[in-house]
Amino acid sequence: MPTITLRNAEKSYGGTAVKAVRDLNLEIGDGEFMCLLGPSGCGKTTTLRMISGLEHLSSGEISVGDRVVDCVGTGTFVTAEKRGMGLVFQSYALWPHMTIERNTDFGLRLRKVPKAERQERVEKVMKTLGIDKYRDRYPSQLSGGQQQRVALARMLAVNPEVLLLDEPLSNLDARLRLEMRAELKRIHEEFKTTIVFVTHDQWEAMTLATSIAVMSEGELQQVGSPNDIYDRPANRFVAEFVGSPPINIIEVEDRNASALAGLAQSYFARTYPQIDGIGSVGMRPEALGFARDVRALPKGAINGEAVVTGVLPTGGSWIIELLTQQTKLFLTTHLPPQVNDGEKGFFYAKPEALHVFDAQGKRHIGADIQLRGEADPSAEGAAIRALA
């Protein structure tokens, strides 16, 4: 499948000025597993429907390789059934009066695929997804996870060049969701199909995707690998949306916002005076540490006095709640914590673990360079290219 490209794609409804998707530029490569991630109403499902051909663009262009499938300027529009894409909805949309086998081969019958070929393809995909033993049952006789497999099998049987999934796991319980995530990962590796997956669940995106496109209020915020999204968020929205517990944010721009803001401002003025224009600083919970003695603090780390106000076990890890300068911070650990409520000490975070944002909420590239000890111009250029 050639690359799918969205150029300045926009979508508005009812002639209103409110746009569900604004000026979206995105490339989805051949064989890629891309997740469109964001909160409800951010435009991710609308984007998926525009790619599939279920929605017309209000402006912009969508192309598949050299073939334009939707362009407002030229009046080009290729209908959904001619785009070679398969769409799996949030609701399974199975035919209740048809057996599982008939549901699976439904698309092949519509395409008038010869019987022998049809049976071969259906048998293969049903065995791959482990539903061949249910071939004579009806959808109402299957569990939610099994129905989801049937919906996927129906799409995979017609061998679409692109598989579009609109929050297909949201109706499943926690265990089935975990099983289906593993199933989707295996399907992608086996069939080499390009997959575009819509979800608001950050863990689904992080565990499934080869690349993630984070959206907010109809605008693309960042595209990158799961590690890029988590370790180098392009702005505060991405940093705060991805991560559980969420990232700790210290507002630095307004020194009067909190005593902790003044502490952070003093730290940067003293340790990194060359960094200017800091709006806020983020610290991931797993990057925070707690020390009882000031002598145990790592050299150069941002730190402050803190009191333990809660130790919360989550099964396999612990969340420790700290109160510092009348501000709550959260840290996580996979080792049983040897601290108790009311215990006093110091929180700390090493410079390389800090996420620094400017007043507009964008990642502060200059701070990023200095905190990692890269001072030469070539390093700055490399950092800028990496974030572009």
Side-chain angles (χ1 to χ4, degrees):
M1 181 71 183
T3 299
I4 301 170
T5 306
L6 291 85
R7 298 184 184 89
N8 308 115
E10 295 194 345
K11 180 64 181 180
S12 57
Y13 292 96
T16 64
V18 178
K19 295 179 179 179
V21 176
R22 291 197 293 270
D23 196 27
L24 177 60
N25 291 279
L26 183 65
E27 282 195 359
I28 303 167
D30 181 23
E32 192 169 7
F33 195 135
M34 174 170 281
C35 276
L36 303 180
L37 174 67
S40 297
C42 73
K44 54 189 186 294
T45 294
T46 301
T47 300
L48 193 79
R49 291 174 65 86
M50 291 191 299
I51 294 172
S52 70
L54 295 180
E55 297 280 0
H56 289 257
L57 292 174
S58 297
S59 65
E61 179 183 292
I62 299 176
S63 60
V64 179
D66 297 328
R67 180 192 183 200
V68 176
V69 295
D70 195 351
C71 180
V72 177
T74 61
T76 303
F77 183 77
V78 177
T79 56
E81 67 272 15
K82 296 179 180 179
R83 294 194 184 188
M85 301 179 184
L87 178 59
V88 178
F89 296 94
Q90 185 173 343
S91 60
Y92 310 131
L94 300 177
W95 294 108
H97 63 289
M98 292 184 182
T99 64
I100 299 312
E101 184 173 13
R102 288 300 300 270
N103 265 283
T104 303
D105 75 0
F106 181 75
L108 296 175
R109 288 177 179 272
L110 287 180
R111 288 165 173 77
K112 295 181 170 54
V113 175
K115 182 177 180 179
E117 182 184 349
R118 186 173 71 238
Q119 290 178 335
E120 181 182 353
R121 285 163 67 173
V122 167
E123 190 67 27
K124 178 182 178 182
V125 75
M126 289 180 69
K127 281 186 177 180
T128 298
L129 292 177
I131 58 173
D132 53 315
K133 56 188 174 184
Y134 308 126
R135 65 174 68 248
D136 296 323
R137 294 189 189 181
Y138 292 89
S140 61
Q141 297 173 311
L142 301 185
S143 68
Q146 291 164 345
Q147 290 184 49
Q148 183 63 74
R149 285 182 169 89
V150 177
L152 285 170
R154 181 176 57 191
M155 283 296 101
L156 290 171
V158 299
N159 194 26
E161 295 176 311
V162 178
L163 189 57
L164 308 174
L165 307 175
D166 187 8
E167 300 201 49
L169 310 184
S170 60
N171 295 327
L172 307 181
D173 60 37
R175 181 171 181 175
L176 280 174
R177 286 174 75 121
L178 184 61
E179 290 177 0
M180 285 306 302
R181 286 177 197 170
E183 194 71 43
L184 283 172
K185 195 86 170 178
R186 186 175 63 81
I187 287 170
H188 179 246
E189 292 173 356
E190 180 168 342
F191 288 89
K192 308 300 181 185
T193 303
T194 300
I195 297 178
V196 185
F197 185 102
V198 164
T199 183
H200 63 271
D201 187 324
Q202 56 175 302
W203 293 121
E204 280 183 2
M206 296 290 286
T207 55
L208 287 173
T210 56
S211 61
I212 299 174
V214 184
M215 299 182 68
S216 174
E217 298 182 351
E219 294 184 343
L220 183 65
Q221 303 294 312
Q222 184 177 0
V223 181
S225 69
N227 287 338
D228 289 337
I229 298 295
Y230 190 79
D231 295 333
R232 297 179 64 82
N235 54 45
R236 272 190 61 172
F237 173 82
V238 176
E240 292 180 283
F241 188 77
V242 178
S244 180
I247 192 170
N248 299 290
I249 295 288
I250 304 174
E251 302 288 352
V252 178
E253 186 180 23
D254 182 4
R255 189 184 185 116
N256 298 319
S258 68
L260 187 58
L263 184 151
Q265 203 171 55
S266 298
Y267 168 80
F268 280 96
R270 180 179 68 255
T271 314
Y272 298 97
Q274 64 273 45
I275 299 176
D276 190 30
I278 300 175
S280 57
V281 178
M283 301 177 292
R284 293 284 184 197
E286 68 274 13
L288 277 182
F290 181 77
R292 293 184 175 86
D293 194 318
V294 68
R295 291 171 295 183
L297 295 173
K299 184 179 179 181
I302 185 172
N303 64 83
E305 295 181 354
V307 178
V308 177
T309 55
V311 179
L312 312 173
T314 61
S317 64
W318 288 260
I319 300 172
I320 301 176
E321 182 187 73
L322 303 175
L323 182 64
T324 177
Q325 305 286 350
Q326 303 306 310
T327 301
K328 286 186 178 180
L329 298 177
F330 294 92
L331 71 85
T332 57
T333 176
H334 291 288
L335 299 175
Q338 304 300 316
V339 295
N340 300 302
D341 287 7
E343 191 168 344
K344 294 182 179 180
F346 301 85
F347 83 88
Y348 65 86
K350 295 180 180 180
E352 60 270 21
L354 301 179
H355 299 271
V356 182
F357 307 100
D358 62 20
Q360 287 72 46
K362 294 181 180 179
R363 190 175 186 88
H364 197 309
I365 295 176
D368 207 39
I369 294 166
Q370 295 296 335
L371 293 173
R372 284 154 182 77
E374 302 172 2
D376 62 277
S378 60
E380 182 172 3
I384 293 171
R385 287 192 295 274
L387 289 172

